[in-house]
C-alpha cells in the first residue's frame, strides 16, 4: 500500500511553492504534463502554470517535464515553458526519472515527482526512491483504461485524505 502513497498531496500544480519543495529537503521537480499542466493532449497550459514555473525557477527550483506522451505532444508544450523534457518515459518504470535527475544535475533525494496519477507518477516515484506530490486530476479522460485507473485510485485517494499525507509540510 505505501508504494501507492505520495509524500504530499495538494490540489493543483500552482499550489506548490518553493517553500514546500525546500521543506521537503528538495530543490528540483520532475513534472508530469497531461492533467498536471494541461488537459490530456492539449497544448493550452492551465492558467497560471507558465508563470508558476517561471516563479519556481527564479526561486532556485530546477524543473524538467517527464511525460509518457509522444515527443510531438511534449516538445512544443515544453517550449511554452522553456523547460527541458523527456517524452515516452514509460512511467512507472524508474529509468526516465533517473535520467531526469541526471539531466538536472541533482541527486534523487533532492527531487520531487509531481503528477496526477497514483499508478504512474506516485508508484514510479516510490519505485525510483524519489519523493512525490500527488495532484487532484484536472480532467476526466474518456478512454476505458483511464476510467478504470481512476476507479482503482479512489480507495487510495480516500486513504490519503484520511492520513492527511504530507500535512506536516503544508501546515
Ligand atoms: Mg498525468
Amino acid at each position: 500500500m505505501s508504494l501507492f502513497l505520495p509524500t504530499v498531496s495538494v490540489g493543483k500544480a500552482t499550489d506548490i511553492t518553493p517553500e514546500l519543495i525546500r521543506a521537503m529537503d528538495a530543490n528540483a521537480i520532475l513534472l508530469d504534463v497531461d492533467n498536471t499542466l494541461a488537459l490530456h493532449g492539449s497544448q493550452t497550459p492551465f492558467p497560471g502554470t507558465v508563470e508558476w514555473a517561471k516563479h519556481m525557477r527564479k526561486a532556485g527550483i530546477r524543473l524538467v517535464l517527464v511525460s509518457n506522451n509522444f515527443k510531438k505532444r511534449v516538445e512544443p508544450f515544453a517550449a511554452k515553458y522553456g523547460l527541458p523534457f523527456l517524452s515516452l518515459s514509460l512511467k512507472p518504470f524508474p529509468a526516465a526519472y533517473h535520467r531526469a535527475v541526471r539531466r538536472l544535475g541533482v541527486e534523487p533525494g533532492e527531487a520531487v515527482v509531481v503528477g496526477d496519477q497514483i499508478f504512474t507518477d506516485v508508484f514510479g516515484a516510490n519505485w525510483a526512491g524519489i519523493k512525490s506530490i500527488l495532484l487532484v486530476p484536472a480532467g476526466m479522460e474518456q478512454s476505458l483504461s483511464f476510467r478504470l485507473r481512476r476507479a482503482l485510485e479512489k480507495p487510495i485517494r480516500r486513504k490519503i485524505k484520511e492520513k492527511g499525507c504530507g500535512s506536516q509540510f503544508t501546515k
Side-chain angles (χ1 to χ4, degrees), residues 134-146:
L134 177 67
L135 310 177
V136 174
M140 211 41 205
E141 305 85 351
Q142 294 310 305
S143 78
L144 186 63
S145 76
F146 258 113

Side-chain angles (χ1 to χ4, degrees), residues 32 34 36 116-117 121:
D32 177 49
D34 288 302
T36 290
D116 67 294
Q117 283 203 65
D121 305 305

